[in-house]
Amino acid sequence: MTSSAYARGLATLTYDGTVLDVWYPAPKLDEPVTAAGTERLETTPQQFAALAGPDETRGVARVPVATRISDLGQAPVDAYDVYLRLHLLSHRLVKPGEVNLEGAREHLANVVWTNYGPCAMKDFQMIRGQLAGGAPVTVFSVDKFPRLLDYVVPDEVTVVDSGRVRLGAYLAPGTVVGADAFIDYGAGSLSAVTVNERVCFGETVG
C-alpha cells in the first residue's frame, strides 16, 4: 500500500480556518508527489471559478486547494488528507482496506449538513435565521461525514435513500442500496449486490 494520490479541490473553510468539507471532483492515483500536504491555489481552476469565494451568510469561504498524499499506507494527517482518501474510495480508485484511514474521525469537524451547504455548529441558530429568508432550512444531519451522493455519484448504482451512504463508501457497479441499509465510510460492496443491512467501517459485502 504505497500509492500516492493527488487532487485539486474546493474546500469550505470557516473564518477561523476550520475545514468543513473538501470536494475533489477528479482525484488521481500514482501521481508523482515530491512533498505531501495541501496548498491554496493562487489561480482558480476554471471548474471552480463560479463556486469559489466567500459566503457571508454561512460565515465561510470556498477556497481552491491542491492536496498531495505521498503514501496511502500512512495514516492521514489532516482533514484535507482524509477527504481525499474518502473520494478515492467513492470514485472506486481504491477498495476498502487499500487505504489507511486510521484516526480519520479525529481530523474532521462535526458539521451541520444543510440544503445550503455545510455549516459550522457554532452559532448555527443565527445562521439558520439568516439563511431562511422566508424559506425553510433543511438539516440533513449533524455528523463528521457527509452523504456520498452530495460529492460523488458512482456509475451504475441505485441508492434509494441518500442519507444511508456516507462519503468514503465503495459501491461496485450494479449495487442497489435499499431503504433499510446503511454503508459507512471505508466499507462497501465489491460486486453487484442488493444491500439491505448495515455495512460498517472495514466491512464489505459481495
Side-chain angles (χ1 to χ4, degrees):
M1 196 193 307
T2 59
S3 292
S4 60
Y6 171 82
R8 290 185 174 187
L10 197 64
T12 305
L13 309 178
T14 64
Y15 293 148
D16 66 4
T18 301
V19 179
L20 298 185
D21 80 336
V22 193
W23 172 53
Y24 296 109
K28 299 178 181 179
L29 278 182
D30 299 322
E31 291 290 298
V33 175
T34 55
T38 298
E39 62 184 29
R40 294 195 182 190
L41 296 174
E42 295 183 4
T43 302
T44 302
Q46 184 176 359
Q47 68 267 39
F48 300 146
L51 302 173
D55 183 334
E56 300 290 348
T57 305
R58 285 191 292 143
V60 301
R62 303 194 76 187
V63 178
V65 296
T67 299
R68 300 170 178 83
I69 301 173
S70 58
D71 184 356
L72 293 171
Q74 298 297 313
V77 298
D78 58 21
Y80 302 98
D81 188 323
V82 172
Y83 265 94
L84 180 47
R85 292 167 195 248
L86 298 178
H87 278 78
L88 291 171
L89 282 159
S90 292
H91 278 278
R92 301 179 185 142
L93 296 175
V94 296
K95 294 180 179 179
E98 293 181 350
V99 57
N100 190 335
L101 291 170
E102 181 181 357
R105 294 186 63 87
E106 285 67 33
H107 292 297
L108 302 183
N110 217 24
V111 175
V112 183
W113 303 100
T114 80
N115 56 318
Y116 289 89
C119 299
M121 292 191 66
K122 183 179 179 181
D123 298 326
F124 176 70
Q125 294 308 324
M126 291 295 295
I127 294 171
R128 183 201 291 271
Q130 294 169 354
L131 285 173
V137 176
T138 301
V139 176
F140 301 117
S141 66
V142 178
D143 195 0
K144 292 192 173 189
F145 294 87
R147 304 181 301 179
L148 165 70
L149 299 183
D150 291 340
Y151 294 80
V152 182
V153 180
D155 294 336
E156 300 179 52
V157 302
T158 299
V159 179
V160 175
D161 182 346
S162 63
R164 298 287 183 167
V165 188
R166 279 175 165 166
L167 178 65
Y170 181 102
L171 302 183
T175 297
V176 176
V177 182
D180 295 326
F182 173 78
I183 303 181
D184 205 354
Y185 76 101
S189 61
L190 301 181
S191 63
V193 295
T194 298
V195 182
N196 287 308
E197 71 266 19
R198 292 184 65 87
V199 186
C200 299
F201 174 79
E203 298 179 345
T204 56
V205 295

